[in-house]
Amino acid sequence: MAGTLTDEVPFLDLREVNARHADALKAAVARVIDSGWYVLGRELEAFEREFAAWCGTRHALGVGNGLDALTLILRAYRDLGELSPGDEVIAPANTFIASFLAVDEAGLRAVPVEPDEATFNLDPARVEAAIGPRTRAILAVHLYGQLADMGALGDIAKRHGLLLIEDAAQAHGATRGGVRAGAFGDAAGFSFFPSKNLGALGDGGAVVTSDERLARRVAALRNYGSEVKYRHPHRGVNSRLDEIQAAMLRVKLQHVDEDVATRRAVARRYLHGIQHPAIGLPRDVTGESHAWHLFVVRCARRDALQRHLRECGVHTLVHYPVPAHRQGAYEGAWDVALPITDRLSAEVLSLPMGPTLDADAIERVIDACMAFEADP
């Protein structure tokens, strides 16, 4: 089953994703250009109101990217006296490195905890076992678009007096019990990287929260620590979602729910059609708790499967081939065995997923997976 130039299945075609809204996006950009105001203006204010309402929180603050969103949450809690230098933040070992970098940037110490192997997300039992005298927060990552067990994690946080922060960078549109990602914890960080379910046409991020004090402090920290121009009571940074990106995100926010519904339909087709003994499927989530930012399978011969799919014209990616505790940046940081995380990094493979994937492309992906010869 060799692929040809006419039947390639891209991992995600961002040109096609954005072409659906080209006229509205161009009009939004033109509106900003004509306004003459390009930073911290009306478009950002409007997007922040709309995004907060969509998430179900009182506040949203647009920032430069998803990493800054998490860092600013933690820094703001430090400023407000909720956290102190050296305090510990429990985080999943199985995550993108940004989750750990944010903790470091805030002067805190990350404690990696193994995931639940069925969901790839934080295992609440292991979280509770990892709580120590310096633990002050839990950072719950909704990996691949699936909500972590926020009910159990919320109970743990409440019993131990811990902050509960969501890394919702991949979870736009995930819901449980009518509550969206971002509205479960004390605060959440979102990314608007172009490939996200709600993606800008450049970098961007947001902090969402219903905590008034936190919102005010993040608003100041993102703008050089200033609440009033040329007055800087806090040591801040420059991390502001610009007007053009905010205007385009306002356009795309109107379509996120529809796009997530399409992603769920693609996932259902994959779950039904891929029945290969060597390919482990993600947990079948029949509700709305998974936004399917990524559709990630497992295979003991992952590299062979990826080569086979590429030969069939199916493009895939690995999220993530090297876990954070194996990165050079964290050499010697933790003296801990993380066998589940190591195993996942060697076995996971992300199949094509997106709101523009048509039925023919989906079937080609399924057929290619089913044609994989598992025996070496």
Side-chain angles (χ1 to χ4, degrees), residues 111-359:
V111 176
V113 170
E114 290 270 68
D116 176 343
E117 206 161 355
T119 66
F120 306 117
N121 280 329
L122 269 177
D123 181 337
R126 289 187 172 96
V127 168
E128 188 135 33
I131 294 172
R134 293 300 303 273
T135 305
R136 296 292 181 271
I138 300 170
L139 179 59
V141 180
H142 305 314
L143 197 65
Y144 308 148
Q146 182 169 209
L147 289 176
D149 189 345
M150 297 306 292
L153 293 175
D155 289 344
I156 292 170
K158 186 175 181 179
R159 287 200 309 273
H160 294 274
L162 307 177
L163 293 169
L164 180 57
I165 300 163
E166 298 173 68
D167 181 340
Q170 301 181 1
H172 317 70
T175 64
R176 181 174 292 140
V179 180
R180 290 191 191 269
F184 289 92
D186 295 287
F190 281 90
S191 167
F192 302 129
F193 188 74
S195 63
K196 303 299 184 183
N197 289 14
L198 175 58
L201 276 73
D203 256 327
V207 171
V208 300
T209 184
S210 292
D211 184 334
E212 181 73 32
R213 289 197 314 152
L214 181 73
R216 289 187 60 186
R217 187 55 57 92
V218 169
L221 290 176
R222 72 175 176 180
N223 189 35
Y224 300 99
S226 174
E227 297 178 7
V228 178
K229 193 171 184 178
Y230 298 131
R231 298 292 184 269
H232 305 269
H234 318 293
R235 296 184 183 183
V237 297
N238 176 13
S239 181
R240 305 172 297 197
L241 182 66
D242 68 68
E243 287 288 282
I244 285 179
Q245 296 299 343
M248 290 191 288
L249 285 166
R250 292 184 67 197
V251 172
K252 297 186 71 175
L253 180 59
Q254 301 173 47
H255 304 280
V256 177
D257 289 331
E258 179 183 351
D259 284 356
V260 170
T262 300
R263 289 172 178 271
R264 288 180 177 137
V266 174
R268 286 194 297 271
R269 186 68 196 96
Y270 281 164
L271 290 167
H272 177 76
I274 301 173
Q275 300 294 324
H276 194 299
I279 300 175
L281 298 174
R283 185 174 179 179
D284 184 359
V285 180
T286 56
E288 297 182 331
S289 63
H290 206 319
W292 296 105
H293 171 60
L294 298 171
F295 188 95
V296 181
V297 300
R298 293 179 62 181
C299 181
R301 298 185 61 235
R302 187 266 310 285
D303 294 344
L305 174 60
Q306 186 172 38
R307 286 193 300 271
H308 163 77
L309 293 177
R310 184 65 187 88
E311 290 169 359
C312 294
V314 175
H315 295 248
T316 61
L317 292 175
V318 177
H319 298 86
Y320 303 95
V322 182
H325 70 285
R326 299 291 185 189
Q327 298 284 353
Y330 285 107
E331 185 175 0
W334 302 290
D335 182 17
V336 60
L338 299 168
I340 297 175
T341 298
D342 284 332
R343 186 161 59 250
L344 289 175
S345 69
E347 295 181 356
V348 294
L349 185 66
S350 301
L351 301 184
M353 170 57 74
T356 62
L357 205 61
D358 63 27

